[in-house]
Amino acid sequence: MDLDREEQAILDGEFGETRRKMMELLVGLGTVFGAERLVPITSAQVSGASYKTIGRWGLEWLEGLDARAVVPTVLNPIGMDRHRWREMGIPEEFAGKQEEVVAAYERLGIRLECTCTPYYLTNTSFGEHLAWAESSAVSYANSVIGARTNREGGPGALAAAIIGKTPYYGLHIFKNRQPQIGFSLDEPTALQGAADYGALGHLTGGMAGNRIPIFFGIRPNRDHLKALGAAMAATGAVALYHVDGITPEARLPTLRREVDETIEIRIAEVREVFSAVEVDAIAVGCPHLSPAELEHLAGLLGGKSVKKPFFVFAAAGVIAENRAAVNRIEASGARVYADTCVVVSPALDRFDAIMVNSGKALAYVPTMCGAVARIGSLEECVAVATA
Ligand code: F3S
C-alpha cells in the first residue's frame, strides 16, 4: 500500500504503540483486500461492545489500548440500558463487567451512544467515507444514505476511528457498487409495513449471499428500507442494496440496471415467514426504532395495558428527543430501553419464545437468545401483548 509520510511514521511507531498497532491492522486489511491507499473517513461505528459477545478477552484487549478516536465515533448496542439495567433483570456481575467495557471505550474517545442507528444522531451524507461495523447500520449507510463503508469488523472500525482513515477498497469504490442480482415481486403493493419488508429481507438475504441486490417495483419508505436491509445483512452478507427509483444511487443514470439474474418472489413466500407460535415476550426495535416508529407504537399502545413483557429498543438520543411518545408507550407497561437490544442483552435469555417485528431479530433470536422467534407487524405485536 502507498502510505504518506504521516501514515508511515504512525506505522513506524512514532505516535505510540497503540496507533502503530492500529495502523498495522489497517495496512494488513488493505493488503489482503488489494487496497492501494487509505481514505479519510468522517465517522466510525464500533461493534464488539456487549460483554455478552466480547467477554473477558475482549475487555482485556480494549484495556491495553492507549489512544483516542480522531473522528466522531459511536458504539454498537451493549448488553444493558446503562441507567435501567437493574429493572431489566441484568445480574450485578454482568453489569459491572459491561461498565468496564464502556469505560474502556470512553477512554478511547468514543461517544457513549450505543446504537445500531447512528444515522439518527449524526449528519451522514451521500458519498461520505465511513468505517461502520454493525451490519444493519452498514446496509443503511450504503443503501439508504449513499455513503460508503465496508462491513467492518470491530477491531477494523476501532482502528479506523483512531487513525481517521480506512483502506480504500470494496464498497468505497463506486464501480464496486453495481447491482449483481435482481428481485421483483408478483404483488409489490401487498407489502405493507416494516415486518413485511423484514420478512422479504429474511427471504432474499440468503439468495443474495454477498452479492449486491437491486429490487424492482417496490415502494418502501426509509423505515421499511431499514428493516429490509437489516434482515438481508442477517440471513445473507448484504452490505449494500438498491431499490430502483428509490435509493439514492438507484436514481443515478450511472447505476446499471441490467443484472444476469432476476428472481421473482411470490408474496405467498413472504407470508410463509410469518407464524402463529405462542410467545412469552415481545421485543421491537431491531434495528433501533426511528422517531416515527416510536410515535406509531405510542399510538397503537395508547389506552391499553400489556399483559406480557414488552421490550422496546431505541437510541438514547432518539428516546430523549421523543419523550412524549416514550411516556405514552411506558404508560401501557411496555418498557423503552436505550443502549441495548434484543440480541446483545442477556435480559431476554430467560424467555422461551419471543415475538419481534424484525427479519433480523427473527434470524438471530434462536441462536443468540436460545428462544423460538416469531415475526409479526407492530400492530400484531401490540395485539398479542394486550390480549
Ligand atoms: Fe441493532 Fe441489535 Fe438488531 S444491534 S440491528 S437491534 S440485533
Side-chain angles (χ1 to χ4, degrees):
M1 279 177 78
D2 287 337
L3 301 183
D4 66 22
R5 276 179 52 187
E6 190 193 15
E7 291 162 355
Q8 188 61 52
I10 295 171
L11 189 62
D12 292 342
E14 290 177 28
F15 293 85
E17 180 57 13
T18 296
R19 298 193 82 204
R20 188 196 67 73
K21 271 194 214 154
M22 297 293 122
M23 182 59 92
E24 193 176 68
L25 200 156
L26 294 180
V27 170
L29 270 176
T31 305
V32 167
F33 289 104
E36 289 176 1
R37 62 181 172 92
L38 299 174
V39 64
I41 55 166
T42 53
S43 69
Q45 190 247 7
V46 176
S47 64
S50 171
Y51 189 70
K52 175 174 166 177
T53 51
I54 68 166
R56 187 158 65 91
W57 299 114
L59 174 58
E60 280 177 14
W61 182 74
L62 284 173
E63 286 180 330
L65 302 177
D66 179 22
R68 290 186 67 82
V70 297
V71 293
T73 303
V74 296
L75 265 190
N76 208 34
I78 58 173
M80 62 192 199
D81 185 307
R82 293 180 55 222
H83 303 289
R84 299 173 72 182
W85 56 269
R86 279 198 177 79
E87 71 175 75
M88 290 184 79
I90 300 290
E92 194 106 13
E93 194 191 338
F94 180 92
K97 290 293 177 197
Q98 184 63 74
E99 280 300 344
E100 287 178 41
V101 174
V102 167
Y105 277 119
E106 192 171 25
R107 272 197 302 278
L108 295 171
I110 292 173
R111 202 171 131 194
L112 298 184
E113 273 288 358
C114 310
T115 182
C116 52
T117 56
Y119 39 84
Y120 295 143
L121 309 169
T122 56
N123 283 327
T124 305
S125 308
F126 184 89
E128 281 183 21
H129 294 279
L130 319 171
W132 287 12
E134 197 282 318
S135 65
S136 78
V138 166
S139 170
Y140 195 96
N142 277 321
S143 315
V144 185
I145 299 173
R148 299 182 185 187
T149 176
N150 288 316
R151 190 164 152 162
E152 300 288 348
L158 182 59
I162 286 170
I163 301 297
K165 296 178 182 178
T166 194
Y168 186 63
Y169 73 93
L171 295 178
H172 289 284
I173 300 170
F174 183 71
K175 73 173 168 51
N176 296 335
R177 298 171 66 91
Q178 298 288 345
Q180 297 160 316
I181 179 171
F183 290 110
S184 62
L185 262 92
D186 60 347
E187 288 180 61
T189 54
L191 294 174
Q192 294 296 325
D196 281 358
Y197 281 93
L200 175 65
H202 190 277
L203 192 64
T204 51
M207 299 176 190
N210 62 3
R211 289 178 288 180
I212 299 170
I214 181 165
F215 288 83
F216 298 102
I218 59 172
R219 289 288 171 268
N221 66 26
R222 286 195 152 213
D223 288 331
H224 301 156
L225 291 169
K226 179 177 70 167
L228 175 65
M232 284 195 291
T235 57
V238 175
L240 163 66
Y241 66 94
H242 305 287
V243 179
D244 191 31
I246 298 282
T247 51
E249 285 174 34
R251 295 199 298 263
L252 298 176
T254 40
L255 194 88
R256 241 190 0 246
R257 277 150 185 84
E258 302 76 42
V259 281
D260 291 341
E261 180 187 18
T262 295
I263 300 175
E264 188 181 89
I265 304 291
R266 287 176 295 109
I267 196 69
E269 295 174 84
V270 178
R271 294 278 166 257
E272 279 170 20
V273 179
F274 292 76
S275 73
V277 175
E278 274 287 310
V279 296
D280 46 9
I282 292 93
V284 303
C286 172
H288 282 171
L289 293 188
S290 68
E293 289 171 316
L294 275 176
E295 195 57 50
H296 182 43
L297 181 59
L300 293 173
L301 283 169
K304 298 186 178 126
S305 297
V306 298
K307 298 184 180 66
K308 294 182 196 290
F310 195 124
F311 296 84
V312 181
F313 300 103
V318 170
I319 292 174
E321 283 172 17
N322 296 276
R323 193 38 80 185
V326 168
N327 290 346
R328 276 154 57 216
I329 293 168
E330 295 215 322
S332 72
R335 286 291 166 260
V336 183
Y337 292 122
D339 310 321
T340 187
C341 83
V342 55
V343 165
V344 297
S345 172
L348 285 101
D349 293 355
R350 65 183 187 271
F351 299 110
D352 294 324
I354 301 172
M355 184 165 189
V356 297
N357 70 333
S358 151
K360 174 169 179 176
L362 183 70
Y364 281 179
V365 159
T367 48
M368 293 296 288
C369 306
V372 172
R374 164 186 174 184
I375 188 171
S377 66
L378 208 52
E379 288 77 2
E380 287 163 339
C381 287
V382 168
V384 166
T386 55

